[in-house]
Amino acid sequence: TRRARPAAGGPRWTGPVTVIVPAYNEAAGIEDTVWSLVESDWPHGLDVIVVDDGSTDGTGAIVERLGLPDVWLIRQPNSGKPAALNAAIAAARTEVVVLLDGDTVFQPDTIARLVAPFTDPRIGACSGNAKVRNRRALLGRWQHIEYVMGFNLDRRLLDLCHAIPTVPGAVGAFRLAALRQVGGLSDDTLAEDTDLTIAVTRAGWRVVYRQDALAWTEAP
């Protein structure tokens, strides 16, 4: 049987959302990231949790200085990205949480598009579409090609096969119940986003892809 998908203009999930941003030495871009979130077109309640994972460049101070309501800062000694994400997951209280990196910005409609599929209670995670914004350098161009191939082509096919292996850290949404069922993220890995996605799938949840949920990230 064909899986039901929220069509454009059809039923879309609505409810408060928590956005989690793990950040280690992201002073160059963290302000743009946070502003892109608080300026989202999401009227149903939005909390932003930034986890400063022992940054030495003043990342946490920048977030603090913004003084934005509903933006919360957690500081911890440098423990790695999985630990930073798990700290925020433990603090989250909404049914759906969104994850993105500290060098990534969302479009105003990204959150709405990313969480739309959660009207289906079987869905545990949704992958968005990461785009490279610094394409002028050679590395950025190659990264752009990789993202186009991996997201716009491979991921469409994998979505049809119900076999998406990775919800990227740059733009992904999860049902909080699914995250807690699998025990959060493991630090015994080189690819925490892939391990998490596979764990959610093994636990019986569906993982889907929204091509129109765009995020713009920086190539290394």
Side-chain angles (χ1 to χ4, degrees), residues 21-34 36 59 81 100-106 130-134 143 147 169-171 215-220:
V21 187
Y24 173 69
N25 287 349
E26 297 288 0
I30 193 65
E31 185 170 348
D32 287 345
T33 297
V34 172
S36 78
T59 294
K81 186 176 179 181
L100 80 157
D101 293 332
D103 61 354
T104 302
V105 296
F106 277 5
K131 299 281 192 180
V132 177
R133 56 175 174 166
N134 56 330
Q143 188 84 63
Y147 276 27
V171 52
W216 297 88
T217 189
E218 296 283 341

Side-chain angles (χ1 to χ4, degrees), residues 39-69:
E39 292 177 345
S40 294
D41 296 333
W42 186 252
H44 308 291
L46 182 68
D47 285 336
V48 178
I49 301 177
V50 180
V51 183
D52 181 11
D53 187 40
S55 298
T56 58
D57 65 350
T59 294
I62 292 172
V63 176
E64 219 164 34
R65 191 164 59 244
L66 292 175
L68 294 168

Side-chain angles (χ1 to χ4, degrees), residues 1-218:
T1 59
R2 185 175 178 178
R3 178 178 15 160
R5 300 170 185 270
R12 291 170 176 263
W13 187 85
T14 58
V17 172
T18 299
V19 184
I20 297 173
V21 187
Y24 173 69
N25 287 349
E26 297 288 0
I30 193 65
E31 185 170 348
D32 287 345
T33 297
V34 172
W35 274 113
S36 78
L37 299 173
V38 300
E39 292 177 345
S40 294
D41 296 333
W42 186 252
H44 308 291
L46 182 68
D47 285 336
V48 178
I49 301 177
V50 180
V51 183
D52 181 11
D53 187 40
S55 298
T56 58
D57 65 350
T59 294
I62 292 172
V63 176
E64 219 164 34
R65 191 164 59 244
L66 292 175
L68 294 168
D70 301 321
V71 176
W72 315 99
L73 177 66
I74 296 176
R75 295 179 183 268
Q76 66 179 33
N78 181 246
S79 306
K81 186 176 179 181
L85 288 168
N86 285 335
I89 290 168
R93 293 293 181 266
T94 58
E95 183 179 350
V96 173
V97 299
V98 171
L99 312 183
L100 80 157
D101 293 332
D103 61 354
T104 302
V105 296
F106 277 5
Q107 297 186 169
D109 62 354
T110 300
I111 291 175
R113 295 180 184 277
L114 188 61
V115 304
F118 286 90
T119 50
D120 184 341
R122 299 169 296 177
I123 290 176
C126 179
S127 167
N129 187 355
K131 299 281 192 180
V132 177
R133 56 175 174 166
N134 56 330
R135 303 179 189 174
R136 293 186 178 182
L138 180 61
L139 182 59
R141 292 176 185 174
W142 280 111
Q143 188 84 63
H144 168 61
I145 292 171
E146 179 188 1
Y147 276 27
V148 168
M149 295 298 293
F151 286 94
N152 286 345
L153 297 178
D154 291 1
R155 203 169 295 264
R156 289 188 199 179
L157 176 60
L158 291 167
D159 187 26
L160 291 173
C161 297
H162 302 178
I164 292 178
T166 306
V167 173
V171 52
F174 289 85
R175 201 177 295 275
L176 187 61
L179 289 175
R180 291 183 172 168
Q181 180 181 350
V182 302
L185 288 94
S186 169
D187 58 3
D188 186 22
T189 178
L190 295 176
E192 69 280 340
D193 48 3
T194 298
D195 277 9
L196 177 61
T197 307
I198 292 173
V200 167
T201 302
R202 284 178 172 172
W205 299 91
R206 288 186 174 177
V207 180
V208 296
Y209 172 51
R210 283 300 298 252
Q211 178 190 347
D212 56 356
L214 301 179
W216 297 88
T217 189
E218 296 283 341

